[in-house]
Amino acid sequence: MEINTPDYSILYDTATDTVTCCGSFRLSQMEEYAPIVQLLNDVADGEQKTITLDLRKLEFLNSSGINIISKFVIKVRQQKNIQIAVKGSKQIPWQGKSLKNLQRLMPSLRLELE
C-alpha cells in the first residue's frame, strides 16, 4: 500500500510491517486525511504481531495529523495482540514532545528517537 503526493508519501511494507511517512502533513480538512486514515486502519486490522511506524522523515505534522496518528495508536491498542514501535528523529523539533505523548495513549508503545 502506498500514497504519493507532492507534499508527502506513505508506504506500508508488508514484509517488515512498517509504515513509513515522509514529507509534511499540512492538510487543511480532516476529509483530506481520509486516504491516510484508510491505509492506517487497513494496517491496524491486519494480523501482524508488531507494527513499526517510521516518522523519521516526516518533517511537519499539523494538529489534524497528530489526531490521526493518535487514533491509529488507540486502534492498535484496542487490538490487544499487536505491539507498536514508533521511530522518530531528534533532529525534527515537533517529534520529541509529540511522539512521547503517544506513550500516554499506549504505555507499551516502544518509542525510538534517533
Side-chain angles (χ1 to χ4, degrees), residues 40 67 91 104:
L40 293 175
N67 188 19
Q91 306 304 314
R104 292 182 181 172

Side-chain angles (χ1 to χ4, degrees), residues 23-85:
S24 297
F25 287 176
R26 296 179 187 267
L27 307 175
S28 58
Q29 304 288 324
M30 279 305 289
E31 296 83 29
E32 294 177 69
Y33 279 100
I36 299 170
V37 171
Q38 184 62 53
L39 185 146
L40 293 175
N41 284 340
D42 289 348
V43 170
D45 290 337
E47 297 190 14
Q48 61 277 18
K49 299 268 189 267
T50 302
I51 297 169
T52 301
L53 185 59
D54 187 346
L55 303 175
R56 293 176 293 180
K57 294 181 182 175
L58 188 62
E59 297 168 14
F60 182 80
L61 185 66
N62 65 12
S63 58
S64 296
I66 290 171
N67 188 19
I68 63 158
I69 298 289
S70 298
K71 286 181 179 181
F72 172 67
V73 169
I74 291 168
K75 183 171 180 109
V76 170
R77 180 188 72 197
Q78 292 170 340
Q79 300 287 358
K80 297 193 191 293
N81 58 340
I82 302 175
Q83 290 299 314
I84 189 167

